[in-house]
Amino acid sequence: MVTFSHTDAGTDEAAWAASGLDTIGELPLDAAELARMDFVVLVAHPDDESLGAGGLLARLTSAGAHVEVLLCSAGEASHPDSPTTTPGRLAAVRREEFAAAMAAFGLAEHWQFLNLPDSALARHRAVIAERLAGVIGQRREGGQRTVVIVAPYRGDGHIDHDTLGAVAAEAAEAGGHGLLEYPIWYWLWATPGDAAWRNWVRLPLSPGEQRTKREAVHTHASQLEPLSDQPGDEVLLSGQFLSHFSRPFEVFAWQPPVTGRRSAGDAEAVFDALHLSAEDPWRYQDSWYEQRKRSLTLAALPEQKYDAGLEAGCSIGTLSTELARRCGRFLAVDASETAVARADERLARYPGAEARQLTLPEQWPAGSFDLIVVSEMGYYLAAAELQELFTRASASLLPGGTLLLCHWRHPVSGWELDGDAVHALARSQLRWPPASVYRERDFVLEVFVAPGFRPKATHDGG
């Protein structure tokens, strides 16, 4: 258990600014996606919401998303030694401050108070879980809505924050909901050497969102100013601590919603129908997004030439032709027979290349490869199927060979996983240090090199 005091100097914001925190990937949800979701926000104490997620709340109300906020305690234990203010009076003050913050966010009519004791939320987990489930159930009445729970980071170090984070995580896992966890005290006691934040996401804030956040933070005067000039009434939140929340972005641990339960067994019919409906359903040939991503994918390959390459999920073969030029032998596979026929036409001019209809991972091709590319297909598998794909890929990849993954980071409707989940599973299962990583709001591109020595490719190329 982490131990700290609000009086600790903690980690200076300059250390976080120099850590690369401002370069982690963005939250992959645009305004239109936010507007289609319902958000339930858990708050342990008044001011948590403004500090950790004030910019997010401003973004959500601006986007037109529905937001409901559950304030669990009034934060009456913030000044336990105050000689001038009783816990009851402080509770009333802090509730008024919270109401003002909600008004600043445009949520004056969208919050509830659970009236639970400050610093003792762990004893009331069942009540919190029940109230959370009730709000989610109300939002889902009359139609299936995508729900995202916003809660303090479950490893924040304050027992109330950790409790809410754990309740939120359990509810998200059970219901397939999205989960955004906002750290607060973490920025005080943790250091940039901690690995947790490197897998989190940023939400860049507009100037207007930053202003709204500042306005909301400053409503919590009881925490920003001394209650009196007597000992025990000192400022609770120092300027040094507040500097962590004046960044032009917010940071969250992000778990996307599970929007479906399809698996590899569904892929052949789904994608055959898709490819029959359009010659180029993903606009591979004329989309600047696809052209740019393809160029970055090719540039990320650490070797100029490969002896044997495999592309999992080739679709109509637009990337396949580029990969075939760099491989002596090349196999492109896809679950859709229609897509494979088009890919095979594109590959016809490369003597060592072919396209084949296979449903991965169970129909895995024989042979060994020094290049395997899995681009935009990992999230079309269930988690167990994806694990099997990585098991087969690692067994087929020669020592020193390249495994390249590239995936869209937004929620993928109708399927269990998203791009970030695919890459996280690869890292945890393979435990190969990535040779390179490129991440932006829309996609993540990651290159792994299999352990061992890779002899130089022997072919002359095409």
Side-chain angles (χ1 to χ4, degrees):
M1 180 72 180
V2 175
T3 58
F4 64 90
S5 166
H6 71 276
T7 60
D8 294 344
T11 302
D12 191 81
E13 176 59 17
W16 287 112
S19 69
L21 185 65
D22 61 346
T23 65
I24 61 175
E26 294 183 22
L27 177 68
L29 297 172
D30 59 27
E33 290 168 320
L34 295 174
R36 293 194 293 269
M37 297 176 172
D38 289 340
F39 291 80
V40 184
V41 183
L42 294 178
V43 180
H45 321 101
D47 77 16
D48 292 344
E49 78 300 326
S50 299
L51 295 170
L56 172 68
L57 293 178
R59 174 75 55 86
L60 295 180
T61 53
S62 175
H66 187 91
V67 181
E68 292 291 337
V69 182
L70 297 180
L71 173 63
C72 294
S73 87
E76 67 276 8
S78 67
H79 290 77
D81 301 319
S82 173
T84 64
T85 307
T86 65
R89 173 56 185 155
L90 189 55
V93 168
R94 297 200 68 185
R95 282 186 62 181
E96 290 174 3
E97 293 171 346
F98 185 80
M102 290 295 98
F105 293 125
L107 296 170
E109 306 299 323
H110 293 276
W111 66 279
Q112 305 173 32
F113 179 47
L114 275 59
N115 200 20
L116 300 174
D118 186 2
S119 301
L121 296 185
R123 298 202 302 267
H124 301 274
R125 285 180 60 133
V127 173
I128 298 166
E130 182 179 358
R131 292 292 291 272
L132 175 61
V135 173
I136 292 173
Q138 289 173 1
R139 293 310 307 159
R140 287 197 154 185
E141 288 180 4
Q144 195 72 5
R145 298 279 297 178
T146 297
V147 172
V148 177
I149 305 170
V150 183
Y153 174 48
R154 74 190 88 166
D156 203 43
H158 187 297
I159 185 61
D160 285 349
H161 294 194
D162 295 355
T163 296
L164 290 194
V167 169
E170 290 170 5
E173 178 67 24
H177 311 308
L179 177 63
L180 282 165
E181 299 176 67
Y182 54 93
I184 296 177
W185 292 109
Y186 176 89
W187 305 119
L188 176 80
W189 59 259
T191 70
D194 185 71
W197 64 270
R198 298 185 183 277
N199 293 319
W200 295 349
V201 295
R202 267 181 316 124
L203 178 69
L205 303 179
S206 70
E209 290 162 350
Q210 294 177 62
R211 284 193 299 272
T212 299
K213 177 172 180 170
R214 283 195 301 270
E215 179 184 346
V217 167
H218 283 99
T219 65
H220 299 283
S222 67
Q223 309 300 292
L224 307 182
E225 302 169 5
L227 299 180
S228 78
D229 58 2
Q230 299 186 45
D233 278 352
E234 296 87 357
V235 169
L236 187 78
L237 303 179
S238 69
Q240 180 172 332
F241 179 66
L242 290 172
S243 66
H244 300 310
F245 307 99
S246 61
R247 302 164 181 154
F249 58 88
E250 289 176 338
V251 179
F252 300 88
W254 165 235
Q255 175 184 308
V258 176
T259 55
R261 296 286 182 180
R262 288 172 174 164
S263 66
D266 303 304
E268 183 174 353
V270 169
F271 292 110
D272 253 345
L274 183 66
H275 285 96
L276 284 169
S277 68
E279 185 72 22
D280 184 2
W282 306 115
R283 296 183 57 221
Y284 289 122
Q285 298 171 90
D286 61 6
S287 162
W288 171 240
Y289 166 79
E290 292 292 345
Q291 294 172 28
R292 176 172 167 270
K293 184 184 64 176
R294 194 157 57 243
S295 296
L296 288 167
T297 297
L298 295 165
L301 294 175
E303 305 292 339
Q304 183 180 9
K305 300 293 184 181
Y306 292 89
D307 283 328
L310 169 66
E311 182 188 7
C314 66
S315 187
I316 62 174
T318 313
L319 176 61
S320 308
T321 58
E322 303 287 348
L323 294 172
R325 292 191 182 102
R326 294 173 64 170
C327 297
R329 293 183 295 107
F330 180 75
L331 174 62
V333 304
D334 198 277
S336 166
E337 186 175 358
T338 304
V340 165
R342 294 174 189 167
D344 207 35
E345 291 177 5
R346 284 186 163 84
L347 292 171
R349 65 178 181 271
Y350 301 100
E354 65 169 313
R356 193 182 306 167
Q357 193 272 323
L358 295 175
T359 301
L360 301 180
E362 61 267 27
Q363 296 177 312
W364 192 264
S368 297
F369 306 92
D370 54 356
L371 171 64
I372 298 178
V373 174
V374 182
S375 180
E376 306 287 20
M377 69 82 64
Y379 37 59
Y380 297 130
L381 305 177
E385 294 169 333
L386 185 62
Q387 290 174 328
E388 178 64 17
L389 182 141
F390 289 138
T391 296
R392 289 178 176 265
S394 62
S396 299
L397 198 60
L398 293 167
T402 297
L403 172 64
L404 184 146
L405 308 179
C406 183
H407 290 86
W408 173 252
R409 297 186 62 229
H410 296 255
V412 184
S413 180
W415 303 89
E416 178 179 345
L417 303 175
D418 72 346
D420 285 340
V422 170
H423 287 241
L425 194 151
R427 289 191 295 270
S428 65
Q429 180 175 339
L430 297 174
R431 299 191 179 278
W432 299 347
S436 63
V437 181
Y438 175 79
R439 184 182 288 106
E440 59 181 55
R441 190 183 75 172
D442 289 333
F443 70 92
V444 55
L445 170 63
E446 200 157 3
V447 175
F448 300 90
V449 176
F453 173 73
R454 174 184 181 269
K456 190 174 180 63
T458 57
H459 80 286
D460 294 328

